[in-house]
Amino acid sequence: MRILFATTHTYLPQRVGGSEASTHDLAKEMLAQGHEPAVLCGLSTGDSTWLRNRVIKGISRKHFPADTFRPYRVFRGYEVGAAAIHEVAASFKPDAAVVQAGHPVPLARALVAAGIPTLLYFRDVVFDRLGGEIQSHPLLRFVANSRFTAAEVERSFNVKAEVIPPLVHSTAYATTRRPRYALFINPVASKGLETVLELAKRNPDIPFLLLESWPLGDEARRSLTRQSATLANVELRRPTLDMKNVYHGARLLLVPSRSPEAWGRVATEAQFSGIPVLASKIGGLPESVGHGGLLVPPSAGIDAWHQALRRIWDNPEQEQALSRAATEYAARAEIRPERLIADLLSVLGQIQPLPPPPSTPKV
């Protein structure tokens, strides 16, 4: 089966976030099972991916040419919309599509208009960025990355979404550890940057690693650099695809999100290496963290976060117990790749292609 994953966002390596990592892992697992995936995505300027795209575009005369430096094709271009769907569908000829992230609704409409069975995969609950109203169609189904997300989708749109958690390949993240620092991934305000910086200020004996994920503008990066420079125990790193190296030194993972997370993929990644997670009890995080960490109520202040951090850092028995629980929780059947692919294909299989229009009798 040929499956097209479509988003208006940029994609790896230009954007390194949970949605992109999950799509990459899905694509790799589908390849392993004999399917042919591809990705349609946006394009940003000024890096080697952009330069490569310009060269391929000049040769192919396509607005959305495919690069193949990954084991599957990635079609990149500007303003991903109906025209992009038309061009890529004509070239790739997908049997089905999955739209997600960015503004997925216009993409879903274009795909079903082209007769392509489509899944709209809800990976967050920021519904004002969908790009339009959710409308039913015989070729459209819905999936969500957590029970929390599915409940929010049903409450907001009165549609049911099958729950399929993000696919995370343990081989890309599991590593032996030399625990040294408290790890915080994606240092932006909505993910709890203010909380982490205050924890670093209150705990000068604890090293903190802040790893960039989402693209930061120049001003945001300058501000983050200034803030972290005032704290001797804080290291700031640029985005990387080598997450094993990052988790190798992590003693615990901080996820103090201020707004509801639909899932919290980094919790699953960390738990493959037995890393305890200290997270907000909000959104889908209780599902992704499970008993492999501690949860802090969203209404709690910085004192509660400080106490929870010291409870793990200063108590080896507590830390080891949470580490064992994290490893155990990461091995649960419901997030194993083979099951997630089977569930995804099962939902796609429920979509019946529309019959061809009746032929016009010859006169």
Side-chain angles (χ1 to χ4, degrees):
M1 177 181 284
R2 288 187 170 190
I3 300 178
L4 178 66
F5 292 90
T7 176
T8 59
H9 280 168
T10 56
Y11 186 65
L12 302 173
Q14 293 190 320
R15 184 182 177 95
V16 184
S19 176
E20 293 74 36
S22 294
T23 299
H24 180 58
D25 282 349
L26 271 172
K28 289 193 300 181
E29 184 65 24
M30 286 185 165
L31 278 170
Q33 296 191 20
H35 302 286
E36 184 178 353
V39 172
L40 167 63
C41 64
L43 178 70
S44 58
T45 61
D47 63 3
S48 60
T49 299
W50 170 67
L51 289 173
R52 186 183 298 110
N53 181 268
R54 288 189 65 183
V55 172
I56 301 172
K57 185 179 294 185
I59 296 171
S60 68
R61 302 298 180 185
K62 299 282 189 181
H63 294 291
F64 288 81
D67 58 57
T68 54
F69 69 98
R70 298 198 175 280
Y72 50 88
R73 283 182 278 181
V74 180
F75 298 87
R76 304 179 196 264
Y78 307 112
E79 298 182 6
V80 181
I85 295 294
H86 178 76
E87 178 182 307
V88 173
S91 170
F92 181 61
K93 295 180 172 53
D95 300 303
V98 180
V99 296
Q100 57 197 350
H103 306 293
V105 168
L107 303 185
R109 288 176 181 167
L111 286 160
V112 298
I116 300 170
T118 300
L119 295 183
L120 200 165
Y121 198 158
F122 289 95
R123 292 190 180 275
D124 60 49
V125 293
V126 187
F127 298 141
D128 60 350
R129 295 202 300 249
L130 290 174
E133 294 184 5
I134 299 294
Q135 297 176 341
S136 61
H137 190 282
L139 293 179
L140 182 63
R141 294 291 187 277
F142 305 97
V143 293
N145 61 355
S146 67
R147 293 186 296 275
F148 164 75
T149 304
E152 289 297 298
V153 168
E154 184 170 12
R155 181 182 64 82
S156 299
F157 306 113
N158 196 31
V159 298
K160 288 192 176 296
E162 296 287 336
V163 176
I164 302 179
L167 192 154
V168 187
H169 269 295
S170 62
T171 52
Y173 304 98
T175 183
T176 56
R177 289 191 295 139
R178 293 184 61 187
R180 304 187 304 279
Y181 48 71
L183 173 63
F184 175 50
I185 298 174
N186 205 3
V188 297
S190 64
K191 301 297 184 181
L193 174 60
E194 183 180 348
T195 298
V196 172
L197 291 175
E198 180 60 28
L199 286 174
K201 183 178 179 180
R202 290 189 177 206
N203 298 275
D205 61 311
I206 298 178
F208 287 77
L209 174 61
L210 277 56
L211 179 70
E212 292 183 37
S213 177
W214 289 351
L216 295 177
D218 292 340
E219 179 54 39
R221 179 170 288 110
R222 283 194 292 267
S223 175
L224 180 58
T225 301
R226 285 195 302 269
Q227 292 178 84
S228 58
T230 64
L231 299 165
N233 58 331
V234 172
E235 177 188 353
L236 180 62
R237 287 189 198 172
R238 298 296 291 271
T240 180
L241 297 178
D242 182 12
M243 292 303 295
K244 281 189 176 183
N245 185 52
V246 174
Y247 289 125
H248 173 70
R251 187 166 169 184
L252 60 85
L253 175 71
L254 292 165
V255 192
S257 299
R258 297 174 58 185
S259 55
E261 295 282 355
W263 174 257
R265 175 191 167 94
V266 291
T268 304
E269 293 177 2
Q271 288 179 340
F272 283 133
S273 299
I275 300 170
V277 183
L278 177 56
S280 299
K281 190 177 182 180
I282 190 172
L285 282 171
E287 296 176 57
S288 62
V289 175
H291 58 278
L294 299 179
L295 297 170
V296 178
S299 58
I302 190 64
D303 288 343
W305 282 98
H306 174 76
Q307 292 166 11
L309 174 60
R310 298 306 322 191
R311 178 180 169 189
I312 299 174
W313 201 269
D314 296 334
N315 188 339
E317 290 185 0
Q318 172 83 63
E319 181 182 352
Q320 291 169 13
L322 288 173
S323 177
R324 290 192 296 270
T327 302
E328 177 185 88
Y329 194 61
R332 63 196 187 280
E334 69 184 78
I335 63 168
R336 290 178 182 168
E338 60 273 17
R339 173 167 171 175
L340 297 175
I341 293 294
D343 289 346
L344 187 69
L345 295 177
S346 175
V347 178
L348 281 171
Q350 296 170 19
I351 306 175
Q352 298 298 322
L354 295 176
S359 58
T360 304
K362 295 183 179 179
V363 178

